[in-house]
Amino acid sequence: MSTPSTPSTAGAPDGERPADAPRVAAEAVDVLGRLRAELDLVSLPLAIDGAARAEAQRRAAADQLDDYVLPRYRSLDAPLLAVVGGSTGAGKSTLVNALVGYPVTRAGAIRPTTRQPILLHHPGDVEWFTTARVLPGLSRTTGHRAGAGGPVPADRAGVDPDPAATETLVLVGEPWLPAGLAVLDAPDIDSIADENRRLAAQLLSAADLWIFVTTANRYADAVPWEVLLDAAARDITVAVVLDRVPPGVEEEVAADLRALLGRRGLGGAELFVVAESPLDEDGMLPADAVRPLQDWLASIAADAGSRSAVARRTLNGVVRQLAARTESLAEAEDDQRRAAARLADDVASAYGQARQGVLSATHDGTLLRGEVLSRWQDFVGTGEFFRSLESGIGRLRDRLTAFLTGRPAPPEEVGTAIETGLHAVLVEQAAAAAEESEQRWRQDAAGRGLVEGRDLSRVPEDFPDRAAGQIRDWQQDLIRLIEAEGAGKRTAARLSALGVNGVAVTLMIVSFASTGGLLGIEVGIAGGTAVVAQKLLESIFGEDAVRRLARRSQADLAARVDALLDEDARRFTDLLEGVRPAEDTARLRALVPSLRRLAGPGPAGVGPAGTDPAGTDPAGTRPEGTGPGPDPVGPERRGERA
């Protein structure tokens, strides 16, 4: 395999000395290799506005790096790859056949026609294409040239291949092609087959230059202009072939197309007009119909400097586009984080309200209603005990001795009543938080896809058991806390009179005692309950110790409530783990300046990828007052070619 004798500067910024090309290429491969690795890590799991578009850009950028950019930087002297693309029936395959002088690829009325990509190359360049250097995702098979005037057999030229054949690149050595140039016939960009459209886009992204084929009656269609606008954004070398132009209107139609190209940033594109003419019995155009295009391609292939300029221009344009896409992807990840923060805030708010609901019930006296209050009264003695408080708290110690020598209810019943009441509040508040969180997520596009197919509005089946376990553990910790506090001899003696369990439930009552949530007679009862419980504990531990124990009790319970609710909230927030942290996005964004330096300044008048440089309709809608008017061909004369 021969290589050009003149050192190639493809991929080097304009003005770079040829001797610097290997260094520039090595730096480019390093930067682009890091970009390729980062693209695999980009994560856009939330279905927010723009996420699908950003994911498509990510895949396109990764494919383009694999199929073209990295292979080209690693093999700057490889032949140029010219990809022939266009709409259905534009005449792409007929044009390729005309370029080489015989029917090498299928042309016909059945759509889609070009199902299997065929790459024509000079026989001396075969080693550049038999490896996975370019388009590594496509397998290779070798086609064979037929005899003069005869078509390539169907099984060798992609005619009616099996469904998997679209993933196979047919290599055909063609001596008529100049060394240093290969031509690839791509499927229709607007094919009815999804796989054909995807493959066409992939092949066009792997091109050093495009040969874009359109017709006199189709050149203003929207789909071709979407592709051409991408070419303008990439600053790729483009040759536009205006096919099947009726005699007498060549200049008029060509002038209109040139004006459209100029307004869309493609004023420098070469334009070749192929007049409408009958095909011979082999489906071939007259030999001189494509002679100007052949001469143009030959002039590029013959000169190493020209090939280098084409490759350099395309590489710089693609890298410039990659820089814009990288910045766009970083912004898309920023949007993901903002959406994730919003969803996390929704969950935090719902579960924060649940936490407040539980703790309010433990602070405002709510838990001293009903069963808890009844069991406490049984434990202390009788209801008359509280009424005796009206005659003075000074007789408290004597009265306590009297009821302790009687037969009050065991403290375990009070503890059980507290556990039951607290458990009910916990489960109720957690269920409300789960329902509220799911409702908010379903109202948000970012969260809707995450909860789809899941029932997160109910607490898990094991939540009640876990809640009960935490409450029992809290009660046991109180017992251990009281035992530690009552380690002194005098305190231990006082403690033994009531028992550790009795003191523990008394401490729970003190922790819960306030009157914020009670009404009417319950206020007086709960207030008396608090006074009795606190004075009882103070008689054992002292006033400061009781305040300290109460704070420890409340803090321990709050921590356990937090742990339970946080664990349940993670059913939601764990679904946000696919959103990358800011430091990862910063690593991706940090590559943008290096990419821009590598690409150099863009051509004047060319906007970012996906925009229309002239400010016209990106869909390619013809501006008012332009166009050739009525169809210059007419349906009676129109015979679409592949």
Side-chain angles (χ1 to χ4, degrees):
M1 177 176 58
S2 61
T3 57
S5 57
T6 303
S8 172
T9 59
D14 292 338
E16 196 78 60
R17 298 191 310 275
D20 291 337
R23 173 186 58 80
V24 172
E27 292 176 356
V29 169
D30 174 66
V31 172
L32 294 166
R34 285 187 281 133
L35 173 61
R36 182 63 185 86
E38 285 296 326
L39 289 176
D40 280 342
L41 300 176
V42 169
S43 181
L44 306 167
L46 304 182
I48 59 177
D49 185 40
R53 183 171 59 252
E55 174 58 21
Q57 285 193 339
R58 186 199 68 79
R59 289 195 303 268
D63 289 344
Q64 196 163 39
L65 282 166
D66 292 340
D67 292 341
Y68 175 69
V69 181
L70 285 169
R72 171 52 76 187
Y73 270 115
R74 290 168 178 153
S75 305
L76 295 175
D77 292 329
L80 294 179
L81 180 60
V83 174
V84 181
S87 301
T88 298
K92 300 181 302 300
S93 297
T94 302
L95 180 73
V96 171
N97 291 341
L99 287 173
V100 298
Y102 70 94
V104 70
T105 185
R106 180 184 183 181
I110 300 175
R111 308 295 175 206
T113 48
T114 306
R115 293 188 177 94
Q116 190 171 18
I118 297 176
L119 190 150
L120 306 174
H121 59 84
H122 188 276
D125 292 337
V126 64
E127 293 182 23
W128 287 113
F129 301 106
T130 52
T131 67
R133 181 192 66 84
V134 66
L135 294 167
L138 300 180
S139 60
R140 267 61 168 171
T141 187
T142 302
H144 302 277
R145 183 183 181 188
V152 175
D155 61 346
R156 295 180 181 179
V159 180
D160 294 328
D162 62 73
T166 54
E167 299 297 328
T168 301
L169 189 62
V170 179
L171 305 179
V172 179
E174 178 46 60
W176 285 73
L177 279 177
L181 176 71
V183 176
L184 198 161
D185 186 14
D188 304 331
I189 60 172
D190 58 352
S191 171
I192 59 173
D194 292 342
E195 184 60 25
N196 270 11
R197 293 197 305 274
R198 184 203 63 78
L199 181 59
Q202 179 184 6
L203 298 178
L204 287 169
S205 294
D208 290 299
L209 64 92
W210 286 2
I211 302 173
F212 198 83
V213 185
T214 187
T215 64
N217 61 296
R218 297 280 304 275
Y219 66 85
D221 288 357
V223 173
W225 280 104
E226 290 175 4
V227 177
L228 287 170
L229 287 174
D230 183 61
R234 289 172 53 190
D235 193 32
I236 190 172
T237 300
V238 178
V240 178
V241 177
L242 183 59
D243 195 13
R244 296 204 302 278
V245 181
V249 297
E250 294 94 339
E251 291 186 7
E252 176 189 354
V253 177
D256 183 64
L257 179 53
R258 284 194 182 95
L260 288 175
L261 290 168
R263 285 195 293 270
R264 286 161 169 79
L266 287 164
E270 296 286 337
L271 178 60
F272 299 93
V273 177
V274 178
E276 179 76 36
S277 58
L279 305 180
D280 66 18
E281 61 182 10
D282 292 324
M284 297 290 295
L285 285 167
D288 60 354
V290 295
R291 187 75 65 198
L293 177 60
Q294 287 175 319
D295 292 344
W296 180 72
L297 291 173
S299 67
I300 292 175
D303 179 62
S306 296
R307 295 198 306 271
S308 173
V310 169
R312 180 172 65 248
R313 174 180 174 179
T314 300
L315 273 173
N316 290 349
V318 172
V319 173
R320 195 176 301 115
Q321 189 181 54
L322 286 172
R325 282 178 168 171
T326 300
E327 180 61 42
S328 178
L329 285 171
E331 292 173 358
E333 286 201 326
D334 293 342
D335 292 341
Q336 291 276 314
R337 271 190 302 279
R338 282 189 285 268
R342 184 175 66 248
L343 294 175
D345 286 345
D346 287 341
V347 175
S349 174
Y351 279 86
Q353 291 175 11
R355 178 185 186 276
Q356 188 59 42
V358 174
L359 297 183
S360 293
T362 64
H363 292 161
D364 64 9
T366 300
L367 284 176
L368 297 185
R369 298 173 187 264
E371 187 67 16
V372 173
L373 187 58
S374 177
R375 296 285 74 78
W376 168 251
Q377 291 172 344
D378 290 343
F379 170 58
V380 172
T382 66
E384 286 80 7
F385 173 76
F386 296 100
R387 288 192 293 272
S388 71
L389 293 174
E390 297 175 1
S391 62
I393 198 67
R395 295 198 296 271
L396 175 63
R397 187 179 301 274
D398 294 339
R399 190 71 183 93
L400 287 174
T401 302
F403 84 76
L404 287 174
T405 59
R407 302 179 63 86
E412 287 77 7
E413 293 186 10
V414 185
T416 300
I418 290 174
E419 178 185 339
T420 301
L422 184 55
H423 181 269
V425 171
L426 253 176
V427 173
E428 178 184 2
Q429 292 292 336
E435 184 175 1
E436 174 71 12
S437 296
E438 187 187 56
Q439 183 178 3
R440 291 190 186 184
W441 279 29
R442 288 193 182 278
Q443 293 171 350
D444 191 316
R448 194 174 303 125
L450 298 178
V451 299
E452 196 67 35
R454 296 182 171 95
D455 185 7
L456 300 178
S457 63
R458 301 179 182 179
V459 295
E461 291 183 0
D462 65 340
F463 183 85
D465 290 340
R466 288 188 282 114
Q470 286 284 13
I471 295 170
R472 287 192 294 269
D473 290 345
W474 170 66
Q475 291 173 327
Q476 290 301 313
D477 282 352
L478 288 188
I479 291 175
R480 286 189 286 271
L481 182 63
I482 289 168
E483 289 175 339
E485 189 69 29
K489 289 184 179 181
R490 179 175 299 181
T491 303
R494 296 172 180 171
L495 184 61
S496 63
L498 188 59
V500 174
N501 288 347
V503 174
V505 297
T506 305
L507 180 56
M508 295 177 205
I509 295 296
V510 170
S511 300
F512 296 160
S514 175
T515 60
L518 304 180
L519 298 172
I521 192 171
E522 286 183 315
V523 173
I525 296 174
T529 300
V531 171
V532 170
Q534 180 145 345
K535 292 302 180 180
L536 177 57
L537 292 178
E538 288 176 0
S539 70
I540 299 173
F541 300 110
E543 184 177 347
D544 290 341
V546 170
R547 282 198 295 268
R548 186 174 65 252
L549 289 171
R551 285 195 299 270
R552 289 279 299 275
S553 170
Q554 292 166 348
D556 185 30
L557 179 60
R560 293 180 182 278
V561 170
D562 287 347
L564 268 173
L565 295 178
D566 287 349
E567 183 178 0
D568 196 58
R570 282 197 292 273
R571 294 188 297 128
F572 292 89
T573 56
D574 283 353
L575 299 177
L576 303 174
E577 288 186 350
V579 177
R580 294 213 299 170
E583 54 267 26
D584 289 353
T585 302
R587 194 170 58 244
L588 175 68
R589 186 174 270 121
L591 293 171
V592 173
S594 297
L595 292 170
R596 288 175 176 158
R597 284 194 299 270
L598 180 63
V606 175
T611 64
D612 187 344
T616 52
D617 183 355
T621 303
R622 178 182 299 281
E624 184 178 356
T626 66
D631 182 356
V633 179
E636 70 282 355
R637 301 181 58 190
R638 188 185 304 119
E640 291 188 344
R641 297 195 295 263

